[in-house]
Amino acid sequence: MHLSATRTGGVAAAAALLLTLTPLAASADVPAPEARTAPAADSLQRTFRAAADRYGVPADLLLAVAYLQSRWDSHDGAPSVGGGYGPMHLTDARTPWPRLAAGEGMLAQAAALTGLSEEALRTDPAANVQGGAALLAAAQQRAGRAAGADPARWREALARFSGAEEPAAARAYADEVYAVLREGQHRTNDDGQDLALPAHRSATPAATAPTSPAECPPTVSCEWIPAPYKKLDGSSDDDFGNHDLADRDRDGSIDYIVVHDTEGSWKTALRLVQKPDYVSWQYTLRSSDGHIAQHVPLKDVAWHAGNWYTNATSVGLEHEGILTAPDAWYTEAMYRSSARLTRYLAERYGIPLDRLHIIGHDNVPGATPEAVRGMHTDPGPYWDWAHYFELLGRPFVSTAGPDSAVVTVRPEYGSHRPPYTGCGKKSTEPCPEHASGAVRLHTAPDAKAPLVKDIGRGKDSTIQVNDTGARASTGQSFAVAERRGDWTAIWYLGQKAWFANPAARPTAVNTRAPLLTPREGLTSVPVYGRAYPEESAYPADVPPQPVVPLAYRIPAGQRYVVGERTPGAYFHAKEYGKPGRVIRGKEVYYEIQYGHRIGYVKESDVRVLGG
């Protein structure tokens, strides 16, 4: 989705909680920034231990907090959208942190506690960790608890440290820290530092959040901010906003979860979703802490995907963010909260946890040939699908041998950094180098070969960040067309598409999946952007919807991975105040991974091969 690009601070002000801040000298165990040389690969791990000892914070708890704040990344001293810096994500004065003193950011308070400068706290990871430890210790003091090694006694301090305005959000933050502790983590951060957090299986379990009208799992912070179902002024009965009444819990029509980003701030997203003449979606997730707002009941149909068939069969999750600035917006707290919500929805509706059912807005197909060019591109190539599915408990791993008929795209996110353009004002302006979960597809096994062309878009593909024409993303699975040295070819958009996949640094894993191909005797079969029923299925009072093929076809001999099998269906909702109804036909469709976007083919046109 694309909303206003206005950016706002990530932490809202709340009632001040005052604490006398006593400056403390920097720990002798952590060298001052100006004295530091190139760090050893384990120096940040040792810094966490030293800072924890210095301020009486459990070392593994401090590591867990930093993992939740930043996944231990420093982002080269650049701030997040909330004005947060370093592994501990310490905010500056522009985003006041209300838990200790009014009108001051975390950086100012950390500087007062440690005696380090704000500049050092911004730019030096070791200093930043010290500042975070000092603030956590101060929060424990403010909670009236003594420092100590038992993480279970730090729940209130963690809630205060979160800076969350809503009590439920603060509790959810503390619970998520304990979840990180229970799981343990091991990761090489963006500075090449190797950090490990052992699993604490007995760490305090997550508390149950207070009940709410919102349909959310109990382990997240969630509130109900309804989108208006309202007849527009002076309009007829078929002119209303901004969603449709339905009964999807009864008719079982929810098959997909669509991951969006807002292309704007939380505040802007909430303002827009409450406009009756705007579009809608089920949930918005806040970047700063993963807090969730639900807007449309799950049984009803929101208008979020740009494809009516997808709207009727999906739940839309809008994540506060801008796809060209992932470090500023795509936070660990938001990833984890989103994964908890997606797991809850998948279990409730029996949705498979795979990339044919958990899709991005950029994977939604155009409903008609005319709509293809205008389809959305969020959450973009920097969204970390591999990490998201690890949080879902469904990591992408090899399930077949080296000669498998199917591969699943899976580059190593941290080290895979293909160039993109268009992150600035000009489409040709290079984007800053950044990790990506997408691979680029060529017409031949050569990095200098042209990119494959998306004929539906009618123009050559580029490396522009919003151009999905020659891109395959992590978790997407394709039939192998050929292997040649360090290159693998897949069937993609009706053609053979090559991507670099060297054995020493693979960008895909070998997997199994059911495939389909045109029936014998057919030279090619059409691909559709929606699975609508045949004309005879419609009752007399519902106008039949045209079954329009896209510009795409599957030639004989090509194979594509199969997803959902479903009878054609159309959700009809034209009268205000009355729930819409689903018209189902006898014509059966298969969802396929056709290109970067999914597509649909008629069962009568194809035959399914073994997986």
Side-chain angles (χ1 to χ4, degrees):
M1 180 174 186
H2 292 278
L3 308 177
S4 167
T6 302
R7 301 188 183 198
T8 63
V11 181
L17 296 171
L18 301 179
L19 178 71
T20 301
L21 302 179
T22 304
L24 298 173
S27 170
D29 297 318
V30 182
E34 58 273 18
R36 196 184 326 277
T37 57
D42 65 344
S43 65
L44 190 57
Q45 179 96 33
R46 289 187 281 109
T47 293
F48 274 101
R49 299 290 174 186
D53 289 345
R54 169 65 174 157
Y55 293 102
V57 178
D60 287 347
L61 184 72
L62 185 62
L63 278 162
V65 170
Y67 185 87
L68 187 57
Q69 294 288 88
S70 69
R71 296 183 75 199
W72 301 323
D73 287 338
S74 63
H75 302 309
D76 199 26
S80 73
V81 69
Y85 293 83
M88 298 301 301
H89 196 259
L90 305 183
T91 58
D92 64 17
R94 291 171 297 176
T95 52
W97 185 60
R99 294 296 164 184
L100 295 182
E104 291 184 346
M106 297 172 84
L107 285 168
Q109 296 177 55
L113 285 166
T114 62
L116 296 168
S117 70
E118 290 190 36
E119 180 63 18
L121 290 163
R122 286 189 184 93
T123 60
D124 181 66
N128 187 271
V129 169
Q130 278 200 85
L135 288 169
L136 192 56
Q140 179 79 335
Q141 179 185 337
R142 181 63 182 86
R145 292 185 175 273
D150 182 4
R153 298 181 62 82
W154 289 73
R155 178 181 292 279
E156 188 175 347
L158 291 171
R160 293 177 184 277
F161 182 87
S162 74
E165 182 178 3
E166 302 91 345
R171 286 192 296 269
Y173 177 88
D175 290 340
E176 204 63 68
V177 172
Y178 286 117
V180 173
L181 265 176
R182 288 194 303 277
E183 297 161 6
Q185 298 292 337
H186 178 239
R187 184 170 184 265
T188 301
N189 78 350
D190 60 356
D191 288 333
Q193 291 285 303
D194 193 49
L195 295 107
L197 170 64
H200 291 249
R201 302 299 183 193
S202 61
T204 305
T208 300
T211 58
S212 162
E215 298 164 287
C216 290
T219 52
V220 301
S221 169
C222 191
E223 64 179 312
W224 174 249
I225 302 178
Y229 179 75
K230 184 177 181 181
K231 188 174 179 181
L232 302 180
D233 292 341
S235 65
S236 61
D237 283 345
D238 63 354
D239 190 9
F240 56 88
N242 61 12
H243 58 279
D244 286 292
L245 303 182
D247 194 0
R248 299 196 299 176
D249 284 333
R250 179 182 60 81
D251 63 36
S253 60
I254 299 179
D255 300 318
Y256 305 102
I257 297 170
V258 183
V259 172
H260 304 249
D261 77 42
T262 60
E263 291 300 300
S265 70
W266 164 268
K267 181 179 179 180
T268 299
L270 296 193
R271 176 177 59 82
L272 290 174
V273 79
Q274 293 179 83
K275 294 179 63 176
D277 58 349
Y278 197 64
V279 297
S280 60
W281 50 93
Q282 273 81 12
Y283 299 93
T284 305
L285 291 94
R286 190 163 60 197
S287 171
S288 61
D289 56 8
H291 179 68
I292 301 170
Q294 184 181 1
H295 313 295
V296 176
L298 290 169
K299 69 179 184 63
D300 295 336
V301 172
W303 305 347
H304 62 95
N307 180 321
W308 186 246
Y309 179 80
T310 307
N311 283 344
T313 57
S314 70
V315 175
L317 277 56
E318 288 281 359
H319 297 77
E320 182 187 19
I322 295 174
L323 70 86
T324 57
D327 292 340
W329 297 92
Y330 297 166
T331 63
E332 178 65 6
M334 188 167 68
Y335 272 124
R336 295 177 73 91
S337 182
S338 179
R340 289 185 184 277
L341 177 59
T342 291
R343 283 201 308 270
Y344 163 82
L345 296 170
E347 182 176 351
R348 176 168 172 171
Y349 293 105
I351 301 171
L353 290 172
D354 60 40
R355 287 284 279 115
L356 281 164
H357 295 86
I358 313 301
I359 62 177
H361 200 182
D362 54 350
N363 306 132
V364 174
T368 64
E370 297 75 23
V372 168
R373 293 189 183 187
M375 295 307 291
H376 289 259
T377 61
D378 57 296
Y382 302 132
W383 180 266
D384 192 348
W385 284 109
H387 182 52
Y388 194 62
F389 270 76
E390 287 169 354
L391 293 171
L392 290 174
R394 293 291 189 276
F396 303 117
V397 297
S398 178
T399 58
D403 297 324
S404 66
V406 176
V407 291
T408 297
V409 175
R410 176 58 171 92
E412 184 61 40
Y413 181 84
S415 58
H416 182 66
R417 296 172 176 260
Y420 290 97
T421 63
C423 290
K425 294 182 179 179
K426 296 181 180 179
S427 63
T428 56
E429 184 178 336
C431 296
E433 182 182 305
H434 196 279
S436 170
V439 298
R440 198 154 282 141
L441 300 167
H442 297 264
T443 56
D446 186 339
K448 295 181 180 179
L451 299 174
V452 296
K453 184 175 180 177
D454 182 345
I455 62 170
R457 298 175 66 244
K459 57 184 179 181
D460 292 338
S461 298
T462 69
I463 63 170
Q464 210 268 346
V465 71
N466 287 302
D467 188 339
T468 63
R471 184 185 299 170
S473 290
T474 291
Q476 292 181 329
S477 297
F478 299 89
V480 175
E482 187 178 349
R483 288 183 171 92
R484 195 182 304 175
D486 287 342
W487 289 77
T488 299
I490 56 176
W491 295 118
Y492 180 95
L493 295 177
Q495 60 199 298
K496 187 181 287 189
W498 294 87
F499 66 97
N501 185 26
R505 199 172 185 177
T507 56
V509 292
N510 299 311
T511 51
R512 294 183 176 89
L515 302 170
L516 58 72
T517 192
R519 288 189 181 274
E520 292 183 10
L522 299 177
T523 57
S524 68
V525 299
V527 176
Y528 301 86
R530 54 194 180 188
Y532 275 178
E534 66 278 8
E535 184 175 346
S536 61
Y538 291 84
D541 61 335
V542 178
Q545 300 298 304
V547 179
V548 182
L550 302 176
Y552 309 117
R553 300 188 73 84
I554 299 178
Q558 293 190 12
R559 297 168 296 165
Y560 290 83
V561 171
V562 179
E564 193 72 17
R565 179 184 183 271
T566 181
Y570 169 66
F571 176 69
H572 179 71
K574 291 296 183 182
E575 189 173 350
Y576 177 73
K578 293 185 178 181
R581 52 180 165 152
V582 179
I583 291 96
R584 299 192 189 276
K586 295 181 179 179
E587 182 82 70
V588 174
Y589 290 82
Y590 285 113
E591 175 204 10
I592 59 170
Q593 187 67 63
Y594 184 63
H596 185 75
R597 300 181 189 275
I598 61 174
Y600 298 90
V601 294
K602 293 182 177 180
E603 185 179 52
S604 56
D605 286 338
V606 300
R607 60 189 178 95
V608 176
L609 310 173

